[in-house]
Amino acid sequence: MRNYSALLFASGLAFLLMVIAWQFTIGGAPMLIGNAILQQAADELGAANLVTSVVLGYRGIDTLGEIAILFTAATATSLVLSSISGQRSRPAPNTAQSGTILISSSRLLFPLLLTLGLYIVLHGHLTPGGGFQGGVILAAAFFLPLLAVPGHGVNHSGLALVEGFSGAAFILIGIIALFQGNAFLQPFMGHGAMGSLFSAGTLPLLYIAVGLKVGAELSGLLANLAEIGPAHPVAEISVETQSVKGSAHQ
Amino acid sequence: MNNIAFNIALPLLAAFLLPVIHNGSAKASRLVGPFVLLAMCWFAAAYFIFIEHPVALALGGFLPPLGISFHLDQLSLLMAVIIPLMLLLLWPYTNREGFREEALLLLLAGASSGMALSGDLFNIYVFYELLSVASFGLAASTHNGAAFAATFRYLVISGLGTVLALTGIGLIYTQTGTLNLAHIGQLAAQLDNNVGLAAFALIVLGIGVKAEIFPVNGWVPEVYATAKPRISALLAGLISKLAVLAIVRLLVVAYADTDALSLLLVLGILGIIWGELSAWRAKDLKRMFAFSSIGQLGMVLVAFSIPGEAGMFAGLAMMLHHLLVKPALFMLTENWSGSISSLTGAARQSPLGAALFILFALSLIGVPPFPGFWAKLIMVTGLVGADDSLYLLALGILLTATVIEANYLIRCAIQLYAPADENSSQSAKHGRLTLSISSALGVVLIISLFSITPLGNKLYQIAAEASNRSLYINTTLSNAQVPALRKIQ
């Protein structure tokens, strides 16, 4: 029964997509909002990177939503993992397995990745990139030691602190604008000279908050997953899926 | 200092800081959530009481359609009041295990408020996504294999829905060149073609995953059967309504006079048939309520598909009634899980619980004088007034569904009051908190029973405002005073 309905749904969807493919004209889409933003964004926000003026200016609340989604995913994952990780002990750091080359190259890469990540975060309003991209690189820098030496300790409460306060900073910058009599998340502090590091008002500050939050969140998430370890007993899993199947057939 | 943006900012801020506060003082962290929810109630209620005309609030200081705007009318503010109230009612006060669940609930509150208030299609999508991810975590928080399996299914279907909704939004953007709902409404003529209709269908299927709309509701029975009653109550009662509202907003501003209405009508009819028949066959109480909520949301969808004010009035009445009744019924399934036959004689162990069950069941069926009767009456009037054979078919199906509903709910009620036998469960007693939550909702139901006329008048006023398309468009676009806006129109 379930298979038939899935087939029906898939064919309906295929029909829908065919209608679109048949009638859709490529090119010539009206660029109402796009063109208007292209014209005025530089004057209104003073950011050399136009994408940043959309992401943090015109659609700032969307970006707040996006960082909240990442935070939610990390929280939900650790909520699910907390029931599993409670039963098992963390493996002890094991440097012998990794070998000299892996360890020393991870140590060599760490400052380079950190610099690159920070550079991309700080120049988000000037060049392509920004908080999300730079944040991912920062997370990679902190995750590298964990890959090289499984069981390498991670300071979870420190990460939670960075994560919490950077997320709060984003919202608080928005609320400060509110208390100045402007709208929530309205950029302030002037424009500065376009193209210089200190320009575009609060946008770079928002991107620093995003970068730190994304970096801390992803490293925490990856560390959480790494600490669960690959050694989940196979027998336990198969028993659980069987009981699930049993309950689904009831 | 009052600004509705606080209803998004405060819960997110609290959720971000909750882990830090918890590391400092676990006791303090338990106070944060209720306090924030109370503040949200306060902000939204102040607006709801004092607002005279709909207002558009430009976020980030950029006027719509360039920036994102919130549309504050009586309907969106009513939802913004109901969201924190509902979460306060279903808050895990006795849960000693974790701040993570509280953080997820706060994120859910912020996302729901955003969805109710936002007047921008992509912004609604972002909040919808946030709400989805939070609900995955909450559905899996039971920590057993069956809940994980059900949540995984939910996650996959939701993921598919998200892709479909995003495709639909992308198509609307290619056709109109804008994302602001009011601006889309102004350019609605460009959507009156097959591509525009397909875009609407994709969005209905995508956002419809949360609204339990017919072909994308395969996750519903398992998730509601395995999640905590509080979470099922929240998902079935509140979250599904917000998804419906997002679809209805798009329908009103851009698709009011198109075939989109027939699409909703057909999906709604199929939902009623599938949901009610499955509920009739269900062997346990939680699955029965899960299927019945699919059927009820089918009815809500049918009601909203009636053209004009009548449809909005009927849809809102059905929706708010279900929002009140279904959470209470789901709360009662605590300790009443397992097969229905094990409930024999449960009324002796939990007399108040059984009495509340009867009260809500009667209202759900639509027995006069309960509010459910008036909601169904409004809907029947609307269907008759729509004067179209498909709507008359829907009327027939609605009445048949009511008979089926009455059959399975009364069957359950008889089981509850039957003398206990060897099948009956030993511990069918409800906790004090469960009973007080259900009683609180019961009191609201009874109060609304005695003030049905003023409530009906108020609801009609809200419906008339919400179904007024030109009012929606003018509020956002014409009341804005920036030359840039005129330039691009």
Side-chain angles (χ1 to χ4, degrees), chain A residues 2 20 23-24 29-30 33 36 40 44 57-59 61-62 69 71-72 78-79 83 164 167 171 178 183-184 186 244, chain B residues 3 13 15-16 58 60-62 66 68 100 107 120 122-123 129-130 134 143 145 149 153 171 174 177 187 194 484 488:
Chain A
R2 216 166 231 183
I20 296 168
Q23 308 247 328
F24 191 67
I33 300 296
Q40 10 174 315
E44 282 189 1
Y58 295 101
R59 308 197 69 91
I61 190 134
D62 277 354
I69 290 172
F71 173 79
T72 313
S78 58
L79 181 68
S83 68
I171 297 179
L178 210 57
F184 180 62
Q186 181 161 353
V244 170
Chain B
N3 192 307
L13 183 68
F16 288 163
F62 303 96
L66 285 195
I68 293 171
R100 292 197 184 90
L107 289 160
D120 185 283
F122 190 78
N123 194 231
E129 182 77 7
L130 179 55
H143 290 319
R153 190 184 172 78
L171 279 174
T174 60
L187 303 168
N194 284 344
I488 70 156

Side-chain angles (χ1 to χ4, degrees), chain B residues 45-390:
Chain B
Y47 261 98
F48 180 68
I49 292 167
F50 294 114
I51 200 165
E52 286 172 356
H53 308 286
V55 177
L57 184 79
L59 290 163
F62 303 96
L63 286 170
L66 285 195
I68 293 171
S69 64
F70 278 1
H71 185 80
L72 313 181
D73 62 1
Q74 294 190 64
L75 177 57
S76 58
L77 289 168
L78 178 66
M79 290 314 287
V81 177
I82 290 177
I83 290 161
L85 278 180
M86 208 68 175
L87 276 157
L88 271 176
L89 201 62
L90 301 171
W91 190 257
Y93 296 101
T94 53
N95 165 21
R96 298 265 170 239
E97 51 173 316
F99 61 95
R100 292 197 184 90
E101 193 183 332
E102 296 180 1
L104 287 178
L105 284 169
L106 282 174
L107 289 160
L108 197 75
S112 319
S113 309
M115 250 187 112
L117 295 168
S118 185
D120 185 283
L121 201 52
F122 190 78
N123 194 231
I124 289 178
Y125 166 79
V126 168
F127 284 124
Y128 173 72
E129 182 77 7
L130 179 55
L131 184 144
S132 302
V133 179
S135 65
F136 301 150
L138 290 170
S141 65
T142 325
H143 290 319
N144 61 46
F148 286 156
T151 309
F152 187 69
R153 190 184 172 78
Y154 179 33
L155 191 133
V156 171
I157 297 179
S158 259
L160 175 74
T162 308
V163 173
L164 293 182
L166 191 60
T167 314
I169 293 170
L171 279 174
I172 288 185
Y173 186 66
T174 60
Q175 299 298 302
T176 59
T178 184
L179 288 168
N180 187 286
L181 270 181
H183 204 193
I184 290 173
Q186 202 177 38
L187 303 168
Q190 294 169 26
L191 288 171
D192 196 7
N193 54 32
N194 284 344
V195 176
L197 201 60
F200 183 74
L202 286 174
I203 292 176
V204 167
L205 288 180
I207 295 187
V209 174
K210 291 280 168 307
E212 303 169 17
I213 285 175
F214 168 62
V216 283
N217 52 15
W219 58 273
V220 171
E222 292 308 314
V223 168
Y224 291 178
T226 55
K228 297 172 187 163
R230 274 189 298 110
I231 305 301
S232 301
L234 211 54
L235 290 178
L238 187 63
I239 304 306
S240 59
K241 306 302 176 304
L242 290 163
V244 170
L245 264 189
I247 293 170
V248 168
R249 285 285 195 205
L250 183 63
L251 181 78
V252 167
V253 295
Y255 290 97
D257 318 310
T258 63
D259 289 337
L261 289 175
S262 323
L263 177 76
L264 285 190
L265 180 61
V266 170
L267 288 180
I269 290 176
L270 291 173
I272 298 178
I273 296 174
W274 192 69
E276 297 295 356
L277 287 181
S278 308
W280 189 66
R281 286 182 50 198
K283 292 279 187 293
D284 78 70
L285 204 58
K286 284 181 174 177
R287 282 191 180 74
M288 190 180 93
F289 286 148
F291 283 120
S292 123
S293 96
I294 291 177
Q296 290 281 325
L297 278 150
M299 291 179 193
V300 170
L301 214 59
V302 167
F304 275 120
S305 75
I306 302 167
E309 271 173 29
M312 182 63 84
F313 187 33
L316 287 182
M318 291 296 287
M319 192 181 95
L320 292 174
H321 176 252
H322 190 241
L323 195 154
L324 185 65
V325 167
K326 210 25 100 46
L329 284 174
F330 266 115
M331 287 313 292
L332 289 176
T333 63
E334 191 196 33
N335 295 347
W336 280 4
S337 54
S339 143
I340 293 179
S341 60
S342 72
L343 292 180
T344 315
R348 203 172 296 264
Q349 296 191 40
S350 180
L352 181 58
L356 285 167
F357 178 90
I358 301 282
L359 171 72
F360 289 115
L362 288 179
S363 192
L364 196 65
I365 297 167
V367 176
F370 291 105
F373 165 73
W374 298 105
K376 276 191 177 160
L377 187 69
I378 293 168
M379 181 167 165
V380 168
T381 323
L383 283 171
V384 172
D387 198 26
D388 182 293
S389 55
L390 205 51

Side-chain angles (χ1 to χ4, degrees), chain A residues 160-191:
Chain A
L161 212 63
V162 175
E163 202 179 313
F165 280 111
S166 53
F170 192 103
I171 297 179
L172 287 177
I173 291 172
I175 291 183
I176 291 171
L178 210 57
F179 277 102
Q180 289 183 344
N182 297 324
F184 180 62
L185 275 177
Q186 181 161 353
F188 56 96
M189 298 207 319
H191 290 174

